[in-house]
Each structure stands twice: as structure tokens, then as C-alpha cells.
């Protein structure tokens, strides 16, 4: 299990101890920074959170908090992990060696790559501190690094050392679905280190962000390409998110498969098995194509390309691009080689598979029934196991269900009332239709249910279930008031 | 937790004495009980050509007036060797299954009389079937000691119910007996007597609740009557699935009267009696053969009170007979007559039949018919842990009927040089092979007989959707598999 390291600490350490304790008077000074100077730019972040409760979405939820690390990367710009400041109600930044709490707020937050940029209300206390420089590239395997931060075990800055153990493409625990480049180090990285810099010399080679619960001496950091991409993405004032190729591939090792596709035995390329409807490749690639090259990089039969002598997944090309950028694909269809450029776009529909933060859950409460749109949080909280629901969830993007249905509305709970006492077998299922109108979003569902002219019976049908839920429309209001009062629901809907 | 093991061994001398007195006096011939020893072997789910390690099961059977022996299907299903043994353990003879019904959990067996005409069971006193019992009736559950002496446990019929005692999930008229039974070693299937007649076959015992389930004599009687002509039809089925209707708004919407009960039809199986009679999803069955159903789907039995409506079909009718139904369809009452049939085969059968699971091997790629047994191999939580595409088929078979008669699944790829790259292809339905639509396992044979330009093209339901195999290399790989000990490359039967 990968877990996020939520305590974080902010210390910038210069490399080795300096002989000359030159006090930097401005960030522009080119002389090497002392460890003390570097550490002074690593700050402790204290975040108070409010996490909404999906089981009573009308309520305030659970209040909590955590500690993380951040570091100064520019004038009033503190870089940290998104998970350090997710669901934040109040963010406080502590400068090293000072007990003054500086109120801070989020400038940009990128849940898909677990990075965030903060600013303090009043930067004057931080004036003169060096801005830590982001290195140019991924550190070399086995090269030495140190992690600086405010992890568990004490209140003051901690520095740990290690080497780069592995460079890999792995899931980011914060959102659960996004995969990017990660660098594994054997320096101790513990809860609280999150958001802190991992340094080589005076340069930042990564942001510490997650560990592994089943292994020792493994810490993970977000490497330079991901940090740089984030910084570049927000340059224009908004974070546009990662873009996605929108195509799945199958390795093309089998000689008979190659033969059948008209390829020589030693041909490179992968077999395209699925193209996401309305994704970047929709209309360009199709199932059965063999993808040979991406932006001129030859794709091997497993889906890897060579970048600077390293074997990386072909997605790495897309990883470094932005919304609106183009990628050139070379592929074979019906034995003919083709070349076509696609324009990359972020793919909102696939966020249904990601953990969502900072957003008050949407819901609709009516007459003892609680309806909520299906997403990762809902699946997890309610442990939805109905195969029909899981099928819809799994195929939501792949089969283009999102085109017709903005939301999959799930009946998540039936609260006890005289009207609902004989109803069972409906919870945890997706609403298919109400009075024969197909339900495509929570908003539309709400409109139908709240209409003044409901027929005598309101008939709700569910996916995968033959028996409909039938309600006497005239009784809805009474039940709504009874149950709402009992549960203390003041706001019956958040659409 | 259900307990199927009941002890044979004598523990209580007191019992023995009292039984001796009881059993010795009135009978000239020994009682019509035999021991049954079965060696059972199931099939490996992953490698369907392999059988699981043999297990032995010992139980009892009762010799009936027709000279055959009745026992539970559980006792003999998947047997590779069956023998009967005299109560005292002295005589043993090979035996064979005449008829088996897994839903009713009954089997009829007979000594194999190839070599010798006579059998020791000819010397036994056959047991007649008892009339149906009512709750409160005293019954005797019989077990045998190693010396042939019976151990009799006296209990009473606690209640009657329509129970699915084993496997199939179909309910049959059963007794629940309350009382403790010895429960230790290998003994399945105990005869239960009332007044010296066979009241039923005890098929399970719950030691916590001290409750035994007994398939009643009436079910045995129907089973025997059906088997008599040598052609076993099975118990009749209407072929619907339904739910009770207690919710008032739902009842009002259906336009049901206050006094109406009924079963709301949620499923009508393809080619079932109900389908042919024109019953539709959404109908409410108000009455069967004049017996009105209450809101929970019970009717009032003259003798036994509330019983599930299914008993009116499975417990009271034969295949070919008709049943009259009063149905509410959109507020109007209709009279429908349905000619009962054997339950149509399920798209995903609970188990493979006695012949074993159907499979086919080509080039080290294993194809099998999907059964519930296969799903259950995913463990106790199979209903949530098994692959989603398989669960979907299991839960909504009607969505797949058009495409298949059997669910043909690619279950495994044995690694070889020709399956490189396919190692992770698993649990995909096979739709087409070399242009031949695959509706059942047997179609694979035809499909694979016609490769195009030396290549087999296999279309699957999941990514990568199509795989290809070199036809000539397939033959070599399969030949090698046979040489390495695979007993056969297919098991196909009708």
C-alpha cells in the first residue's frame, strides 16, 4: 500500500556544510547557499481540514488536521503536496525557528499530480530567504539525496540522507488513478515529510510525497519533470490538468498476431485495443490499429520508448505535454502506414475514478431517500458491490456512458419512515428512469422529482433490477418533512 | 453452519440395548437398510481434465419395494466407484446410479448385476413409503453400528417447509426435525422412519440448532413415479422468478385489491412453461389452480397451512400437466393456463453434469463452459470477487441469451512459444472462431477446423478482443501437451 505522507516539513538544506557562512542577502546571490540558508526556506505547514461525510452529505463533516512541509520557490510561492492542503479550512505556515503563524492560502492545487502552490497573506517575514532552485532533470540512479522536512518524531526540522534507488512510473496515492514518473529513494521519508524538498546540492530534485507501508527504506518523491510541468501549466494563471491519450494498448509479442496484422516478426508497435470515445485519439485511432511511433519515438512491443537512453512508457511523451498540444502518431491500419497528429485534451469524465477533494459532495435528499452521483468516493464510502453498479462504473468511460449520462445517480440510503418501511432491495443501485424518463444527471433527476405535476405514482426504475420503486406522489412531502426533521436536514440538495 | 456428517459409530451402549429390543422382535428379515460407500472425485476448476483427489463418503440407503435403493444425490454425485454393503459389513457389491436429481437431492441406485444375478439386498425387507406427516409426529432417524445393529434416534417433526436442501436452490417439501444426533464420522443420508415406513431422507443436520432437514416421502414418491418408465423428466417448473409485494404504494400502482396477495413476476425464463403461456415480467400471479397467494407468496395448504406457492407446481404436478393461473396484468385479471415443463437449462448451470465440465484445448489455450462452480472457485465472496463480466452474465443471463446457448470462456493460456504475449488473457467470452459463431463449446471444434491461411482467429469479449494462433504450431503444442500427460484435448457432449 502506498500512503501519503501527510506531515511535512520545510527546510532547505544546502549541500555539505559550508566553510564560509555567507549569509545570503538576496535570492539572486550566486554564491553557494549554506545549509542554514537552504533550510530557512523550508517551512512547516499546518493545515486544518474539514472532510465531508458522504453518508450524511448535508452535515458539516469531520474536522481534523495535519502537518506537512513546503518550500519557497519564488516570491511568495511555497510549493508543497496537494494532499497536505486538501480539504483545507485554514492553512498556517511556520518559518523555521519562529513561532509566528502566517496565514496562507492555496494559489494552485493539482490533485492529479499531488502538487500545490501556496502564498502567505504577508510575505514580509520571508523576504530575503533564498528561493530553492528546481534541478534540470531526474537525478541519476544511486546518486545521493537528502530529504528535508518536518516529519513525525519531533517539532523541529529533520534531514535524512539516502540514494536514488529506482526511477519508475507509478500510481500517485493521492488521487488513486493518476500515474506519473516517481523516484524512489532510500532516505527515511515519513509522515510529515510530505511536500518537503529532496535535495542534491542546493537544487531540488524532488518533492517527498509518499511511502510504502509494506517495505522499509522506500520513500517516493515527485521528480523534476512533474514539478516543472505543474509550474509551467499554472504559468497562465490556471491549472489545466494532465492530458490523456485516451487509448489502451495490448502488447504485441505474438508472432501469429503480427503475421495476421501483416507485420514482419521484428516489427515494433503495440496493438490498440480500446479508444476512449471523445478522447484525444477518438476518430484517429481505432481498435485493431498498430501504433508504431509517438512523436517520432519508436514504440516497442511492450509499449515502451527510449528517452535519453532510458526505457520509459510511451505515455511519458504525453505526460510532458499540455492541453492543446499536439502529438504525432504513426500507426498501421489494414497494412498501410499512416501518420496523424492529435490534439491532447484533459479528460474530465475519467475523474469519476479519482478521489475527489475540496468539493462538497453533491446529493439529493427526498422523502427519506438519499440520492448521490457515483464516483470514487461514493464507491469507497458505501462499499458499493452490486455488479450492475460496478459494471457501469468500470465502463463509464470505456463505453462512452458519460456521453449520455453526466451522472450515474445512486440511491445510497433509505431512511426509516412509515412510507419507506416496506421497501428493500433498492439501495446501492443506479437510477435508470423516473416515470419512464431516463435519468442523465442529478440535476435533471432533481427537476423531475420536484416538479409540481408529478403523476399519482412516481415510478423509479433501477439498473439491473426488474421491480420498480413506486411511491405515492402525494405522500412524498409528508415523509420528506418527517424524515428531514428527524435527521436535521436543513439543505435537502446540493446539486 | 450445516453439518452433513453423521456418525456411524456406536457410543452409547444404552441406546444400543434399547434399540436391540425394539428392532429384534417384529421382523423376520433384516431391515431394508444398506450402507453405501462412494468414492467421489470432482473436477479441477482450472484444469478441467484433472480430477480432484478422491474422497470417500459413507452413508445409508433404503431398499424400496421396487428393489432399488434410495439415497441422496449428494451421496453419489461425481462418484467414480460405488458399492453397497450389508448392514453388518460382511457383504459388499458394486452398485450403479439409476437416476439422480440434484435439485431434489435424491438418487436411486441398484446393485450392478452383470456378473451375478443375485444380490444380498434381495434378502432384505423392503421399506414402504410413509404417508405425509404432520408437525408433532414422532419419527426415528436410523443409523447403523459397525456390527450391523441400528441406532435409532427418536425426534419429532418440528415443522414442514419448502426447502432447498442442496445445490439447486429449488424448494421441495421437507420436514425439520428437532433433536440432537450423534455427529462425528462419515455418514451421509440417513433414513427417517415413521411407524416402520420411510418418512424421508435426512440430508443435513445443524448441530448448533439441533435441526435436521429431511426430504419428505412425497418428493421421493414423485421421483420414483417419474423414474419408473426409465425416462426421467425431472420436476416440473413454471420458469418464473418473482418477489413478494408488501409495499402499499406498489400495490396501489399495480391496482391490486386489498384482499389480493400475489407474486410480482421479475423474470420469465426463455423457453419455460411461463414464457410459452404468455406470462410477462410485471404480471402479478394472484392464484394457482384456484389457491390464492398472499402478499408473501404463500398459499393456504389444507393440511399444512402456509406454504410457498412453488409447492403447488413442484410438489403437486408432473411435467406435461397444466396449471391454471390467475394473473393481474395492468389492473386486469386474466386466466392463463400453462403446460409445465422441466426447468429450462440455465445459461450458467450450477454444476457440470456427471460427464464433467465441458472443455476444449487449442494450442494450449483452454476454453471451458462457465458454470456456477467455476464462479464459486473465487472463494466464499465469489459473488463480489469473481470477474465482473462473468458476474454480469450470471445475474442477467437474459441479456446474453441471443448470443449463446452456453457461456464459452477462455479460462487459461498454457504458456508456450505460440502463446507469447497472451499470458494475461483470461476470463473472456469467446464469440467467434475463424468466422464461426460460438454459441456452445461444441462449436469450437467446427471453428478451429477451418483456419484461414494457417492462422486461427479468435474473437473475445474483452481486450485485446482478437487473438491469433498459428494453426500448424497449435497442433504441435497440443500433441506435446498430450505427451506430457494431458488425457484429452476436449470434453464435449450434448
Amino acid at each position: 500500500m502506498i500512503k501519503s505522507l501527510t506531515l511535512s516539513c520545510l527546510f532547505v538544506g544546502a549541500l555539505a556544510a559550508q566553510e564560509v557562512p555567507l549569509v545570503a542577502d538576496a535570492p539572486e546571490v550566486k554564491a553557494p547557499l549554506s545549509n542554514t540558508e537552504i533550510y530557512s526556506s523550508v517551512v512547516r505547514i499546518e493545515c486544518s481540514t474539514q472532510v465531508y461525510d458522504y453518508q450524511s452529505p448535508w452535515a458539516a463533516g469531520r474536522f481534523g488536521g495535519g502537518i506537512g512541509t513546503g518550500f519557497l520557490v519564488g516570491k511568495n510561492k511555497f510549493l508543497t503536496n496537494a494532499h497536505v492542503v486538501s480539504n483545507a479550512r485554514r492553512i498556517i505556515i511556520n518559518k523555521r525557528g519562529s513561532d509566528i503563524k502566517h496565514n496562507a492560502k492555496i494559489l494552485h492545487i493539482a490533485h492529479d499530480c499531488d502538487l500545490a502552490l501556496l502564498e502567505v497573506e504577508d510575505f514580509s517575514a520571508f523576504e530575503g530567504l533564498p528561493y530553492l532552485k528546481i534541478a534540470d532533470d531526474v537525478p541519476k540512479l544511486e546518486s545521493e539525496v537528502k530529504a528535508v522536512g518536518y516529519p513525525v518524531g519531533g517539532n523541529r526540522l529533520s534531514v535524512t540522507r539516502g540514494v536514488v534507488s529506482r526511477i519508475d512510473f507509478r500510481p500517485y496515492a493521492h488521487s488513486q488513478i493518476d500515474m506519473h514518473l516517481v523516484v524512489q529513494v532510500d532516505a527515511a521519508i515519513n509522515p510529515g515529510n510530505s511536500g518537503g524538498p529532496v535535495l542534491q546540492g542546493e537544487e531540488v530534485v524532488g518533492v517527498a510525497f509518499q511511502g510504502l507501508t509494506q517495505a522499509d527504506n522506500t520513500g517516493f518523491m515527485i521528480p523534476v519533470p512533474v514539478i516543472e510541468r505543474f509550474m509551467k501549466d499554472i504559468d497562465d494563471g490556471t491549472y489545466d490538468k494532465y492530458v490523456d491519450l485516451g487509448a489502451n494498448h495490448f502488447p504485441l509479442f505474438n508472432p501469429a498476431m503480427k503475421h495476421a496484422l501483416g507485420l514482419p516478426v521484428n516489427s515494433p508497435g503495440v496493438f490498440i485495443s480500446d479508444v476512449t470515445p471523445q478522447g484525444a485519439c477518438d476518430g484517429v485511432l481505432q481498435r485493431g490499429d498498430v501504433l508504431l511511433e509517438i512523436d517520432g519515438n519508436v514504440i516497442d512491443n511492450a509499449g515502451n520508448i527510449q528517452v535519453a537512453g532510458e526505457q520509459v512508457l510511451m505515455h511519458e511523451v504525453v505526460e510532458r505535454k499540455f492541453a492543446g498540444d499536439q502529438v504525432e502518431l504513426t500507426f498501421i491500419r489494414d497494412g498501410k502506414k499512416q501518420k496523424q497528429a492529435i490534439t491532447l485534451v484533459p479528460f474530465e469524465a475519467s475523474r469519476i475514478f479519482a478521489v475527489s477533494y475540496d468539493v462538497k459532495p453533491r446529493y439529493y435528499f427526498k422523502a427519506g431517500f438519499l440520492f448521490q452521483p457515483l464516483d470514487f468516493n461514493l464507491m469507497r464510502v458505501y462499499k458499493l458491490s452490486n455488479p450492475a453498479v460496478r459494471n457501469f462504473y468500470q465502463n463509464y468511460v470505456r463505453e462512452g456512458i458519460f456521453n449520455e449520462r453526466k451522472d450515474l445517480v445512486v440511491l445510497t440510503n433509505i431512511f426509516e419512515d412509515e412510507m419507506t418501511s416496506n421497501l428493500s432491495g433498492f439501495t446501492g443501485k443506479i437510477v435508470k428512469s423516473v416515470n419512464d424518463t431516463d435519468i442523465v444527471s442529478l440535476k435533471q433527476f432533481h427537476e423531475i422529482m420536484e416538479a409540481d405535476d408529478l403523476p399519482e405514482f412516481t415510478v423509479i426504475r433501477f439498473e439491473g433490477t426488474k421491480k420498480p420503486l413506486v411511491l405515492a406522489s402525494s405522500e412524498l412531502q409528508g415523509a420528506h418533512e418527517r424524515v428531514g426533521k428527524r435527521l436535521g436536514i436543513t439543505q435537502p440538495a446540493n446539486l | 453452519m450445516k453439518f452433513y456428517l453423521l456418525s456411524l459409530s456406536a457410543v452409547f451402549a444404552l441406546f444400543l440395548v434399547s434399540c436391540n429390543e425394539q428392532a429384534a422382535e417384529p421382523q423376520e428379515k433384516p431391515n431394508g437398510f444398506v450402507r453405501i460407500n462412494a468414492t467421489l472425485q470432482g473436477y479441477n476448476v482450472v484444469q478441467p481434465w484433472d480430477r480432484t483427489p478422491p474422497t470417500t463418503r459413507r452413508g445409508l440407503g433404503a431398499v424400496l419395494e421396487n428393489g432399488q435403493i434410495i439415497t441422496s444425490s449428494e451421496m453419489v454425485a461425481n462418484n467414480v466407484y460405488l458399492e453397497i454393503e450389508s448392514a453388518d459389513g460382511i457383504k459388499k457389491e458394486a452398485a450403479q446410479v439409476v437416476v439422480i436429481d440434484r435439485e431434489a437431492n435424491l438418487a436411486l441406485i441398484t446393485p450392478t448385476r452383470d456378473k451375478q444375478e443375485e444380490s444380498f439386498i434381495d434378502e432384505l425387507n423392503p421399506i414402504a413409503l410413509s404417508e405425509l406427516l404432520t408437525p408433532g409426529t414422532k419419527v426415528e432417524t436410523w443409523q447403523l453400528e459397525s456390527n450391523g445393529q441400528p441406532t435409532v434416534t427418536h425426534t419429532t417433526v418440528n415443522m414442514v417447509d419448502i426447502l432447498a436442501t442442496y445445490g439447486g436452490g429449488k424448494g421441495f417439501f421437507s420436514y425439520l426435525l428437532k433433536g440432537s444426533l450423534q455427529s462425528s464420522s462419515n455418514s451421509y443420508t440417513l433414513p427417517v422412519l415413521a411407524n416402520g415406513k420411510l418418512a424421508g431422507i435426512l440430508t443435513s443436520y445443524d448441530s448448533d440448532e439441533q435441526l435436521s432437514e429431511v426430504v419428505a416421502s412425497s418428493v421421493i414418491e414423485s421421483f420414483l413415479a417419474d423414474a419408473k418408465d426409465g425416462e426421467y423428466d425431472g420436476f416440473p417448473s413454471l420458469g418464473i422468478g418473482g418477489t413478494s409485494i408488501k409495499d402499499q404504494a406498489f400495490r396501489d400502482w399495480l391496482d391490486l385489491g386489498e384482499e389480493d396477495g400475489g407474486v410480482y413476476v421479475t423474470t420469465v425464463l426463455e423457453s419455460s412453461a411461463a414464457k410459452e403461456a404468455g406470462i410477462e415480467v410485471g404480471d402479478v400471479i394472484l392464484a394457482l389452480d384456484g389457491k390464492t397467494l398472499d402478499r408473501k407468496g404463500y398459499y393456504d395448504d389444507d393440511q399444512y397451512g402456509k406454504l410457498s406457492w412453488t409447492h403447488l407446481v413442484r410438489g403437486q404436478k408432473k411435467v406435461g400437466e397444466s396449471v391454471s393461473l390467475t394473473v393481474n396484468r395492468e389492473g386486469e385479471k386474466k386466466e392463463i393456463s400453462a403446460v409445465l415443463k422441466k426447468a429450462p437449462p440455465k445459461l450458467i448451470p450450477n454444476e457440470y453434469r456427471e460427464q464433467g465440465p465441458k472443455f476444449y484445448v487449442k494450442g494450449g489455450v483452454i476454453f471451458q463452459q462457465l458454470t456456477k462452480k467455476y464462479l464459486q472457485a473465487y472463494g466464499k465472496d465469489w459473488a463480489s470477487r469473481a470477474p465482473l463480466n462473468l458476474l454480469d452474465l450470471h445475474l442477467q443471463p437474459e441479456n446474453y441469451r441471443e448470443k449463446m446457448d452456453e457461456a464459452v470462456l477462455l479460462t487459461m493460456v498454457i504458456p508456450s512459444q505460440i502463446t507469447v504475449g497472451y499470458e494475461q488473457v483470461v476470463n473472456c467470452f469467446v464469440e467467434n472462431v475463424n468466422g464461426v459463431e460460438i454459441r456452445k463449446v461444441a462449436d469450437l471444434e467446427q471453428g478451429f477446423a477451418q483456419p484461414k491461411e494457417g492462422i486461427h482467429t479468435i474473437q473475445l469479449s474483452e481486450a485485446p478482443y482478437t487473438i491469433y494462433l498459428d494453426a500448424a504450431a497449435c497442433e504441435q503444442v497440443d500433441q506435446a501437451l498430450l505427451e506430457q500427460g494431458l488425457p484429452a484435448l476436449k470434453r464435449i457432449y450434448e
Side-chain angles (χ1 to χ4, degrees):
Chain A
M1 279 299 286
I2 293 173
K3 70 173 191 201
S4 292
L5 305 165
T6 346
L7 291 185
S8 94
C9 162
L10 157 69
F11 251 74
V12 175
L15 269 192
Q18 284 301 120
E19 308 248 313
V20 187
L22 182 79
V23 175
D25 54 8
E28 290 79 20
V29 169
K30 292 286 183 284
L33 295 167
S34 70
N35 278 353
T36 315
E37 286 169 311
I38 292 172
Y39 295 163
S40 67
S41 291
V42 179
V43 298
R44 182 171 180 270
I45 299 173
E46 209 182 297
C47 180
S48 309
T49 57
Q50 177 181 9
V51 182
Y52 294 104
D53 177 1
Y54 275 71
Q55 290 182 321
S56 30
W58 52 83
R62 187 163 38 84
F63 293 93
I67 303 292
T69 308
F71 57 98
L72 203 54
V73 292
K75 187 169 170 63
N76 205 1
K77 283 179 182 165
F78 297 88
L79 188 63
T80 185
N81 284 140
H83 75 258
V84 171
V85 292
S86 289
N87 298 316
R89 284 183 62 81
R90 188 195 67 181
I91 301 167
I92 282 170
I93 288 182
N94 287 123
K95 197 175 147 186
R96 187 188 177 201
S98 155
D99 58 359
I100 299 171
K101 294 175 186 284
H102 303 273
N103 282 328
K105 64 173 193 192
I106 297 169
L107 277 174
H108 295 285
I109 187 160
H111 294 296
D112 58 358
C113 63
D114 201 2
L115 289 172
L117 203 62
L118 314 180
E119 65 172 9
V120 289
E121 276 173 10
D122 179 3
F123 190 63
S124 56
F126 301 88
E127 293 282 4
L129 296 180
Y131 306 150
L132 300 190
K133 184 181 175 299
I134 310 292
D136 292 330
D137 212 343
V138 181
K140 293 265 175 297
L141 211 60
E142 249 185 297
S143 61
E144 195 171 308
V145 293
K146 63 181 175 181
V148 186
Y150 290 90
V152 286
N155 291 324
R156 310 181 98 186
L157 187 88
S158 136
V159 181
T160 55
R161 263 172 207 285
V163 297
V164 172
S165 329
R166 175 149 56 186
I167 300 163
D168 205 351
F169 199 76
R170 286 186 63 91
Y172 276 35
H174 178 57
S175 73
Q176 302 274 343
I177 59 152
D178 296 285
M179 283 179 73
H180 309 292
L181 205 60
V182 297
V183 170
Q184 182 190 326
V185 297
D186 69 353
I189 290 183
N190 287 306
N193 266 118
S194 275
V198 178
L199 299 162
Q200 227 166 34
E202 58 189 61
E203 289 185 341
V204 177
V205 292
V207 176
F209 81 123
Q210 64 190 25
L212 264 176
T213 51
Q214 300 146 331
D216 292 331
N217 296 329
T218 52
F220 294 95
M221 65 181 195
I222 301 173
V224 173
V226 179
I227 302 171
E228 276 192 336
R229 192 204 173 279
F230 169 68
M231 300 300 272
K232 204 170 160 196
D233 192 324
I234 59 176
D235 247 0
D236 60 357
T238 54
Y239 181 64
D240 298 322
K241 298 186 183 165
Y242 269 81
V243 287
D244 190 23
L245 201 54
N248 294 340
H249 67 269
F250 183 81
L252 193 46
F253 293 120
N254 194 279
M257 192 150 173
K258 282 187 178 174
H259 178 80
L261 294 166
L263 301 173
V265 175
N266 58 359
S267 166
V270 287
F271 183 79
I272 296 299
S273 58
D274 282 291
V275 178
T276 309
Q278 292 188 11
C281 288
D282 192 15
V284 176
L285 288 184
Q286 63 189 43
R287 179 181 297 169
D289 290 350
V290 175
L291 188 59
L292 293 175
E293 289 174 18
I294 180 162
D295 265 359
N297 299 290
V298 175
I299 301 167
D300 71 15
N301 293 143
N304 297 311
I305 55 171
Q306 296 286 329
V307 175
E310 289 278 335
Q311 193 184 46
V312 294
L313 274 178
M314 64 180 198
H315 293 101
E316 195 55 33
V317 170
V318 178
E319 281 281 304
R320 302 185 185 201
K321 303 234 174 191
F322 299 89
D325 284 358
Q326 293 214 319
V327 170
E328 193 182 58
L329 302 177
T330 308
F331 56 94
I332 290 184
R333 179 178 305 161
D334 302 329
K336 265 190 253 154
K337 200 167 177 175
Q338 309 190 18
K339 230 179 221 190
Q340 216 167 324
I342 56 159
T343 305
L344 296 168
V345 285
F347 199 65
E348 276 307 314
S350 66
R351 300 320 291 174
I352 191 175
F353 304 120
V355 185
S356 68
Y357 297 96
D358 300 332
V359 187
K360 188 167 190 214
R362 293 186 295 143
Y363 68 94
Y364 171 44
F365 169 81
K366 180 71 177 177
F369 301 92
L370 179 60
F371 299 95
Q372 293 172 276
L374 186 64
D375 64 11
F376 182 89
N377 294 33
L378 206 70
M379 287 294 284
R380 188 166 61 174
V381 169
Y382 286 100
K383 297 186 174 66
L384 298 173
S385 60
N386 179 281
V389 174
R390 287 163 59 208
N391 246 323
F392 266 96
Y393 183 66
Q394 186 177 287
N395 296 327
Y396 185 68
V397 168
R398 193 175 66 182
E399 293 185 357
I401 297 169
F402 65 91
N403 275 330
E404 276 98 51
R405 302 169 77 160
K406 192 183 153 292
D407 295 317
L408 296 168
V409 178
V410 179
L411 171 59
T412 49
N413 208 342
I414 301 179
F415 297 100
E416 288 302 321
D417 180 64
E418 59 197 66
M419 191 186 78
T420 62
S421 70
N422 269 323
L423 300 174
S424 61
F426 297 111
T427 42
K429 292 183 177 162
I430 296 172
V431 176
K432 183 177 193 292
S433 68
V434 175
N435 298 327
D436 294 329
T437 304
D438 288 341
I439 296 307
V440 297
S441 74
L442 187 66
K443 196 157 169 283
Q444 171 233 17
F445 176 61
H446 174 262
E447 269 166 28
I448 294 175
M449 293 293 289
E450 293 296 323
D452 294 330
D453 54 347
L454 279 179
E456 184 187 358
F457 296 104
T458 300
V459 181
I460 305 178
R461 291 185 186 273
F462 295 88
E463 297 291 352
T465 305
K466 294 280 163 50
K467 186 179 168 183
L469 170 58
V470 178
L471 302 167
S473 304
S474 60
E475 291 175 19
L476 289 175
Q477 196 50 35
H480 188 69
E481 283 163 16
R482 283 192 303 272
V483 183
K485 197 172 162 196
R486 207 176 310 137
L487 297 173
I489 299 173
T490 48
Q491 190 193 354
N494 176 34
L495 306 173
Chain B
M1 186 173 160
K2 298 240 159 144
F3 238 91
Y4 293 98
L5 308 180
L6 294 171
S7 122
L8 270 180
S9 54
V11 182
F12 298 105
L14 275 180
F15 254 118
L16 208 58
V17 172
S18 67
C19 298
N20 268 341
E21 290 173 350
Q22 211 175 39
E25 185 213 342
Q27 286 162 6
E28 304 136 21
K29 286 175 160 185
N31 264 310
F33 298 126
V34 295
R35 295 176 198 277
I36 300 170
N37 303 323
T39 306
L40 312 177
Q41 273 187 293
Y43 290 87
N44 185 308
V45 173
V46 180
Q47 303 185 175
W49 49 86
D50 282 340
R51 300 201 77 145
T52 52
T55 53
T56 53
R57 193 168 276 185
R58 280 163 69 82
L60 296 186
V63 179
L64 301 169
E65 282 160 328
N66 67 0
Q68 293 175 328
I69 299 159
I70 186 88
T71 187
S72 69
S73 70
E74 209 175 346
M75 182 64 218
V76 299
N78 289 323
N79 80 79
V80 286
Y81 178 67
L82 196 60
E83 77 182 6
I84 51 170
E85 187 183 319
S86 60
D88 54 15
I90 290 167
K91 292 172 201 148
K92 286 185 180 178
E93 286 170 15
Q96 62 197 46
V97 174
V98 181
V99 187
I100 182 166
D101 189 317
R102 298 190 192 215
E103 286 176 351
N105 197 3
L106 290 175
L108 206 52
I109 65 173
T110 180
T112 308
R113 301 195 190 220
D114 297 347
K115 293 184 189 131
Q116 50 174 68
E117 282 285 301
E118 284 165 15
S119 164
F120 72 83
I121 69 164
D122 301 337
E123 305 304 317
L124 302 181
N125 210 5
I127 299 173
L129 289 181
S130 137
E131 298 290 301
L132 278 182
L133 310 179
T134 50
T137 311
K138 297 244 180 294
V139 293
E140 300 163 348
T141 303
W142 281 60
Q143 293 171 268
L144 286 176
E145 301 303 335
S146 50
N147 61 4
Q149 294 298 336
T151 297
V152 178
T153 309
H154 296 268
T155 51
T156 40
V157 176
N158 205 30
M159 63 180 285
V160 300
D161 202 350
I162 308 303
L163 295 176
T165 61
Y166 177 62
K170 300 244 160 75
F172 290 88
F173 194 86
S174 306
Y175 303 122
L176 280 168
L177 309 184
K178 179 80 178 172
S180 132
L181 274 182
Q182 295 175 37
S183 158
S184 60
S185 77
N186 259 358
S187 176
Y188 276 66
T189 314
L190 302 174
V192 175
L193 298 192
N195 298 321
K197 290 182 173 176
L198 188 67
I201 298 277
L202 188 150
T203 54
S204 78
Y205 173 62
D206 177 338
S207 58
D208 292 338
E209 300 280 335
Q210 300 197 345
L211 276 179
S212 313
E213 291 177 359
V214 176
V215 181
S217 56
S218 61
V219 183
I220 299 174
E221 200 175 335
S222 308
F223 175 67
L224 293 175
D226 188 345
K228 202 168 182 179
D229 60 0
E231 233 174 80
Y232 187 69
D233 296 326
F235 285 83
S237 157
L238 193 55
I240 63 159
T243 68
S244 59
I245 26 176
K246 293 176 283 181
D247 170 45
Q248 191 56 44
F250 190 58
R251 299 180 55 80
D252 293 343
W253 177 66
L254 291 169
D255 223 350
L256 291 172
E258 191 52 36
E259 72 289 351
D260 287 336
V263 168
Y264 180 79
V265 177
T266 54
T267 322
V268 179
L269 295 181
E270 273 316 309
S271 61
S272 65
K275 185 91 185 179
E276 284 167 11
I279 293 174
E280 296 170 6
V281 169
D283 285 353
V284 178
I285 298 178
L286 300 172
L288 272 111
D289 277 346
K291 303 267 190 200
T292 54
L293 308 186
D294 72 9
R295 292 177 183 204
K296 289 181 171 177
Y298 293 111
Y299 76 98
D300 236 327
D301 188 87
D302 297 339
Q303 204 174 353
Y304 295 101
K306 300 272 187 202
L307 288 181
S308 161
W309 68 270
T310 59
H311 186 56
L312 288 171
V313 175
R314 207 171 296 122
Q316 316 248 310
K317 298 276 179 181
K318 284 201 218 88
V319 167
E321 291 181 350
S322 58
V323 62
S324 67
L325 302 149
T326 311
V327 163
N328 173 314
R329 182 174 299 162
E330 289 167 5
E332 296 204 0
K333 279 191 185 170
K334 279 177 171 285
E335 295 295 328
I336 293 177
S337 175
V339 180
L340 295 172
K341 303 170 69 173
K342 187 179 164 56
K346 287 184 177 172
L347 196 49
I348 302 189
N350 289 333
E351 299 211 37
Y352 38 80
R353 279 183 283 155
E354 289 293 307
Q355 294 95 318
K358 295 180 185 176
F359 73 89
Y360 191 85
V361 179
K362 182 57 78 178
V365 181
I366 317 297
F367 305 94
Q368 280 195 67
Q369 180 186 11
L370 177 61
T371 59
K372 197 166 167 189
K373 255 221 147 71
Y374 184 87
L375 290 172
Q376 285 165 340
Y378 283 89
K380 206 166 66 119
D381 304 324
W382 65 270
S384 54
R385 285 186 52 200
L388 264 183
N389 58 333
L390 309 192
L391 285 177
D392 191 61
L393 173 55
H394 175 245
L395 293 171
Q396 310 196 70
E398 65 274 14
N399 296 351
Y400 295 82
R401 280 274 177 192
E402 255 177 44
K403 289 192 282 187
M404 53 180 79
D405 304 314
E406 291 171 358
V408 182
L409 201 60
L410 190 167
T411 56
M412 187 169 79
V413 176
I414 298 176
S416 72
Q417 67 279 12
I418 65 164
T419 56
V420 173
Y422 298 155
E423 291 81 3
Q424 281 151 30
V425 181
V426 70
N427 288 330
C428 311
F429 295 113
V430 183
E431 294 171 347
N432 193 299
V433 171
N434 294 328
V436 175
E437 193 193 0
I438 304 301
R439 298 189 58 89
K440 53 186 190 299
V441 179
D443 294 340
L444 290 170
E445 196 152 39
Q446 194 198 339
F448 280 113
Q450 20 193 305
K452 307 237 159 53
E453 292 167 27
I455 298 278
H456 291 302
T457 305
I458 305 157
Q459 286 180 11
L460 305 169
S461 64
E462 313 290 322
Y465 304 100
T466 310
I467 59 171
Y468 305 88
L469 294 170
D470 183 307
C474 280
E475 300 312 313
Q476 289 170 15
V477 167
D478 290 342
Q479 199 52 45
L481 286 173
L482 286 174
E483 283 162 17
Q484 285 157 15
L486 212 71
L489 295 171
K490 62 179 179 183
R491 185 187 292 125
I492 293 174
Y493 50 85
E494 276 310 304

